């Protein structure tokens, strides 16, 4: 590593509730010279970034990517080469469908010192806040995480829908709103029961969190009527039925 370079921190900010930030993440944000962020950390966390830091919005919004992933990679390298302490602030966990692995590889290639700071993934936090345990002795002893929106340049899907349809545990789908109907149809095609419960959790753990429930057969239509929008986590499996009991806790705690 070049001793004249700064250091990059790939920081997971968690699912959006600022109280779910790790202590380490909070310290690094507060002391950063440069913060390269997107919209996923949520408004409360973004508003807490220090005024002294150079803040660069690298968000990928629907139909409007401020920076491509290649540009983001080049940017964090450039800022580190200037000797800066750089926080690349991500929602959830950097290595859980956050493209942190790609950024880390670029930093290694450039000879930049970096550190990964894990964050609480929305895959478990959003369902938990919705009263849905992703595993439960009576409902699911396994859980798998998949992306609902693969790289559009791929010529072939990396998802084995046939095996996923037969999977006896909980499926948690990231970024699946746009392709919700196609994903549910794929599960049905390969034998998943249409009556299998499904929940979509929008903006999980945040004050405006919203939950839409249904089953594989009707969730796409329900989501359309409710105007469901990203960011959202989709949970498929019998554990969703526990929401009827535990989902009330949010009201009781409030």
């Amino acid at each position: 590593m070049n001793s004249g370079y700064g250091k990059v921190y790939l920081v997971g900010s968690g699912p959006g509730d600022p109280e779910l930030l790790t202590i380490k993440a909070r310290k690094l944000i507060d002391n950063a010279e440069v913060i390269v962020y997107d919209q996923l950390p949520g408004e409360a966390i973004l508003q807490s970034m220090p005024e002294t830091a150079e803040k660069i919005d690298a968000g990928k919004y629907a139909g409007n990517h401020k920076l491509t992933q290649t540009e983001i990679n080049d940017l964090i390298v450039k800022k580190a080469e200037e000797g800066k302490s750089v926080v690349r602030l991500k929602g959830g966990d950097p290595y859980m469908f956050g493209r942190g692995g790609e950024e880390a590889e670029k930093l290694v290639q450039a000879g930049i010192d970096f550190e990964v700071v894990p964050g609480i993934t929305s895959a478990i936090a959003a369902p938990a806040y919705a009263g849905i345990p992703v595993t439960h002795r009576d409902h699911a002893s396994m859980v798998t995480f998949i992306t609902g929106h693969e790289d559009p340049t791929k010529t072939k899907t990396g998802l084995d829908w046939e095996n996923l349809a037969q999977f006896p545990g909980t499926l948690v789908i990231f970024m699946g709103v746009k392709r919700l109907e196609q994903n549910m149809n794929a599960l049905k095609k390969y034998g998943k029961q249409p009556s299998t419960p499904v929940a979509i959790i929008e903006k999980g753990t945040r004050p405006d969190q919203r939950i839409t429930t249904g089953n594989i057969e009707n969730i796409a239509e329900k989501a359309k009527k409710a105007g469901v929008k990203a960011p959202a986590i989709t949970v498929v499996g019998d554990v969703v039925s526990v929401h009827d009991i535990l989902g009330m806790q949010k009201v009781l705690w409030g």
Side-chain angles (χ1 to χ4, degrees):
M1 303 296 176
N2 191 314
S3 60
Y5 291 169
K7 185 172 181 178
V8 175
Y9 299 90
L10 304 176
V11 177
S13 66
D17 182 341
E19 292 188 343
L20 295 182
L21 267 176
T22 65
I23 294 171
K24 188 166 191 175
R26 182 73 267 170
K27 287 180 178 178
L28 289 170
I29 293 168
D30 290 343
N31 291 287
E33 294 176 281
V34 180
I35 303 176
V36 181
Y37 67 95
D38 54 43
Q39 77 279 17
L40 289 177
E43 193 64 26
I45 291 173
L46 296 180
Q47 290 296 327
S48 75
M49 295 187 294
E51 293 183 4
T52 54
E54 177 186 2
K55 295 175 278 290
I56 302 172
D57 185 354
K60 295 182 177 69
Y61 306 89
N64 178 24
H65 289 198
K66 291 182 178 288
L67 295 175
T68 66
Q69 188 60 50
T70 298
E71 290 171 331
I72 294 170
N73 295 347
D74 292 340
L75 175 63
I76 59 178
V77 167
K78 177 178 180 292
K79 292 299 179 181
E81 288 176 340
E82 294 173 359
K84 303 289 181 61
S85 174
V86 183
V87 165
R88 172 66 175 111
L89 187 62
K90 296 174 168 292
D93 178 87
Y95 281 2
M96 180 65 80
F97 299 121
R99 306 190 75 169
E102 298 171 45
E103 294 169 357
E105 288 181 308
K106 181 67 174 182
L107 293 167
V108 170
Q109 293 167 7
I112 304 295
D113 189 19
F114 74 96
E115 185 175 339
V116 179
V117 181
I120 297 174
T121 174
S122 58
I124 58 174
Y129 269 52
I132 301 171
V134 294
T135 64
H136 188 295
R137 287 203 302 172
D138 295 335
H139 300 282
S141 297
M142 297 186 288
V143 59
T144 191
F145 305 139
I146 67 174
T147 177
H149 181 72
E150 295 184 273
D151 184 344
T153 64
K154 279 185 175 181
T155 57
K156 185 178 180 181
T157 180
L159 295 172
D160 186 342
W161 285 106
E162 185 172 3
N163 275 328
L164 289 170
Q166 301 304 316
F167 182 69
T170 306
L171 298 178
V172 179
I173 306 174
F174 288 73
M175 301 171 288
V177 172
K178 188 174 181 180
R179 294 185 55 82
L180 179 64
E181 185 172 6
Q182 294 95 315
N183 293 341
M184 295 302 105
N185 285 339
L187 289 173
K188 284 194 297 181
K189 175 182 177 181
Y190 290 109
K192 198 76 170 174
Q193 288 297 318
S195 60
T196 303
V198 180
I200 305 174
I201 306 143
E202 299 171 76
K203 299 182 178 179
T205 80
R206 305 177 194 184
D208 52 349
Q209 171 179 295
R210 188 169 67 138
I211 305 157
T212 302
T213 59
N215 56 43
I216 286 177
E217 184 66 47
N218 63 26
I219 192 63
E221 183 62 28
K222 284 192 169 188
K224 183 178 179 180
K225 287 181 178 179
V228 170
K229 296 180 180 178
I233 288 288
T234 304
V235 184
V236 181
D238 289 342
V239 292
V240 172
S241 64
V242 183
H243 166 74
D244 294 338
I245 302 169
L246 301 184
M248 292 300 296
Q249 287 300 105
K250 193 69 177 178
V251 176
L252 297 176
W253 291 336

